[in-house]
Amino acid sequence: MNAPEARAGKGTEATDEAEDPDDLDVEEALALVNDAFGRTPGDPARARARDPRRDGPRSAPDGRSPVTRPSHHDDRHALLSWTEARTVAERAARRGTGSRAAHRAPVPVPLDAALGLTLAAPLTALTDLPSFDTSAMDGWAVSGPGPWAVREEGVLAGHAEHPPLTDGEAVRIATGARVPPDTTAVLRSEHGHTDDNGRLHATPPRSATASRPPGASRAGSVSTVAHGQDIRPRGQECRSGEQLLSVGTLVTPAVLGLAAAAGYDTLSTLPRPRVEVLVLGDELLTGGLPHDGLIRDALGPMLPPWLRALGAEVTAVRRVRDDAQTLYRAITRSEADVVLTTGGTAAGPVDHVHPTLRRIGAELLVDGVEVRPGHPMLLARTKENQYLVGLPGNPLAAVSGLLTLAEPLLRTLAGRPAPEPYTMPLRDAVQGHPHDTRLVPVVLRGDAALPLHYNGPAMLRGVAAADALAVVPPGGTRPGQETELLDLPWASGGIGVCFT
């Protein structure tokens, strides 16, 4: 895709160097110092052999086998790769169905409420389109060769069928109007004229007019039109019973128009997955300036519209204090399809997500991902028809978790098709993590992507200016290296489309 030129005025500039060291978290920076001495970004040698502790038993990427966490203090337990984690999330939503989203019963939805949903049944024409022969242009419906005698009363769209025409007869007709029986063709307004006696003549083409001798009369120079000219015959677009769109089609404005034309008042669709957001942390403010160790909550305002862009219905955003019992009640009382938590996924003194999931008896599907930022993200099945996505508390790390786990889970539950992967060359080298994938904000300029500064785990300045996230493999990338990109919703669909 091409980035709009307006992006050039953004306040966050593309990097001229590989990375700003301040953008890396402590563990990542230490790993880079220990591993990258004497090597250049993009050198495969930088992607060191895995730590033996990382090569323990993995969960099979089928969404069914839980990942066990040996200890809260073992930060190098068996993580899934970024690709494996996304596969687990997608397959978890399909459990027991093979290809369709699990436990998602289709619902009939009025056309004006169906935008952004996916079809749960094929869209089959309920009528021929058009349902009768119609005029494709304003002009005259004519019968036989000209000149033609013109009826006084014209034919308008939406009116009952007009009496048949006789040979040599014409009648004024509007675009979309039903053509009278025995009509030969429609003569466009600009291709005909009437003489002093009110008789209609076909006007010759300009080429014929240019070659006509001076003083020659126009009348009678053209007397015929092609049979069926400018008539839309019944069933030209489709016949009744013909399949127009398949199951899984995203309902766009054009789909709504086609459905209405084909005779539908409602559509059978998959419902949006319901998501409840639990924002964890005693340190978060909902207004005003940070003070006395308190910081503003960035995720509460950011996540709901982003989740709607991913096809979800956000049922509630709740702020939960750092208390294990409070978190337990919030999760167990939720009736949402997906509970999404922010923070508390690591092993700190008030990180209660893992203990709460154990108390619930949840099935832990993903417990950490080889991605930076955001590696302590998780995915669990809390009950038969409910999932929990645990995002890290740092804002960009939360975005990473959202796109790694929540996006494939919600997309599959909503029945949306997976976006086609694509790559673009990165203009600048990007410093890689020794063994983890990195998600780096970029802007698109012509046929290249420019990495942005301010891409540390706690920062949103880079992604706020970005068009996409670059999926940087372990070891980093060289200037000009083709790299997979993840489009951000506002860049690919526009604000008005993707967030409603």
Side-chain angles (χ1 to χ4, degrees):
M1 60 171 286
N2 292 322
E5 291 301 321
R7 293 280 185 186
K10 291 187 173 179
T12 301
E13 299 298 329
T15 57
D16 293 322
E17 301 174 352
E19 282 298 331
D20 184 340
D22 293 338
D23 291 346
L24 304 177
D25 63 20
V26 174
E27 181 184 350
E28 190 168 353
L30 288 174
L32 291 171
V33 169
N34 293 333
D35 193 68
F37 180 74
R39 295 170 185 161
T40 59
D43 183 350
R46 296 188 64 255
R48 69 182 182 188
R50 294 183 183 274
D51 187 316
R53 288 171 294 176
R54 301 171 64 86
D55 291 332
R58 288 181 178 270
S59 167
D62 58 4
R64 290 193 289 270
S65 299
V67 178
T68 58
R69 185 183 182 96
S71 167
H72 283 300
H73 304 288
D74 179 9
D75 190 50
R76 310 304 293 172
H77 63 279
L79 307 180
L80 293 183
S81 73
W82 183 76
T83 301
E84 289 172 334
R86 285 173 59 83
T87 300
V88 168
E90 182 175 315
R91 291 183 178 175
R94 291 178 173 163
R95 189 181 67 160
T97 63
S99 60
R100 293 284 300 279
H103 59 263
R104 309 294 295 164
V107 293
V109 176
L111 294 186
D112 61 3
L115 183 66
L117 300 178
T118 52
L119 296 181
L123 188 73
T124 302
L126 304 179
T127 180
D128 295 343
L129 284 182
S131 55
F132 44 79
D133 293 351
T134 62
S135 176
M137 303 295 294
D138 292 330
W140 295 268
V142 300
S143 180
W148 301 273
V150 181
R151 289 182 182 176
E152 291 185 4
E153 184 180 358
V155 182
L156 299 177
H159 287 220
E161 187 175 43
H162 205 273
L165 294 178
T166 59
D167 205 33
E169 194 174 28
V171 64
R172 264 287 187 185
I173 193 167
T175 301
R178 182 198 297 255
V179 299
D182 300 327
T183 295
T184 301
V186 169
L187 181 66
R188 300 185 185 190
S189 296
E190 61 270 26
H191 293 170
H193 70 279
T194 55
D195 59 22
D196 294 340
N197 296 319
R199 293 179 66 78
L200 174 67
H201 299 264
T203 302
R206 291 191 178 187
S207 57
T209 303
S211 61
R212 190 172 57 235
S217 171
R218 292 191 306 167
S221 59
V222 176
S223 60
T224 60
V225 292
H227 193 279
Q229 175 180 303
D230 287 327
I231 294 175
R232 292 188 63 214
R234 176 173 181 167
Q236 182 186 52
E237 186 170 359
C238 66
R239 289 292 184 181
S240 179
E242 185 177 343
Q243 180 174 314
L244 306 176
L245 297 171
S246 61
V247 171
T249 298
L250 182 67
V251 178
T252 63
V255 170
L256 293 175
L258 176 61
Y264 285 84
D265 299 316
T266 63
L267 291 174
S268 178
T269 62
L270 287 176
R272 301 179 192 275
R274 298 165 299 153
V275 178
E276 183 171 342
V277 179
L278 303 181
V279 181
L280 313 184
D282 292 341
E283 75 280 13
L284 300 177
L285 294 169
T286 58
L289 294 176
H291 63 87
D292 300 325
L294 302 177
I295 61 173
R296 281 296 298 269
D297 168 29
L299 298 180
M302 180 179 73
L303 290 176
W306 205 319
L307 290 164
R308 284 191 287 270
L310 298 180
E313 173 192 351
V314 179
T315 59
V317 179
R318 307 188 192 282
R319 285 168 174 81
V320 179
R321 61 190 178 91
D322 288 326
D323 177 76
Q325 184 62 26
T326 302
L327 178 60
Y328 173 81
R329 285 197 300 266
I331 293 174
T332 55
R333 292 177 180 179
S334 176
E335 297 181 354
D337 301 305
V338 176
V339 177
L340 188 139
T341 63
T342 68
T345 57
V350 291
D351 289 339
H352 300 302
V353 174
H354 279 95
T356 301
L357 291 177
R358 286 197 298 271
R359 181 181 175 187
I360 292 171
E363 181 185 6
L364 201 54
L365 305 175
V366 176
D367 190 15
V369 179
E370 292 174 336
V371 65
R372 301 301 172 111
H375 65 285
M377 65 184 71
L378 63 84
L379 171 65
R381 184 179 288 111
T382 52
K383 50 190 175 186
E384 179 61 27
N385 296 335
Q386 187 183 73
Y387 302 91
L388 183 142
V389 177
L391 304 182
N394 276 326
L396 188 59
V399 170
S400 175
L402 191 70
L403 297 182
T404 300
L405 297 178
E407 187 277 333
L409 178 73
L410 293 172
R411 166 171 42 81
T412 307
L413 288 174
R416 291 187 172 190
E420 287 293 328
Y422 76 102
T423 65
M424 288 184 71
L426 297 184
R427 192 193 70 174
D428 304 321
V430 176
Q431 186 77 47
H433 191 276
H435 40 252
D436 291 355
T437 298
R438 288 192 67 203
L439 300 183
V440 177
V442 297
V443 290
L444 308 184
R445 293 286 182 270
D447 59 356
L450 281 64
L452 295 173
H453 280 304
Y454 307 106
N455 53 33
M459 300 179 181
L460 289 175
R461 185 173 172 181
V463 73
D467 298 310
L469 295 183
V471 183
V472 177
T477 58
R478 304 177 303 277
Q481 182 173 329
E482 289 283 338
T483 305
E484 181 181 353
L485 299 185
L486 300 177
D487 279 334
L488 296 173
W490 53 86
S492 59
I495 294 291
V497 173
C498 72
F499 294 119
T500 56

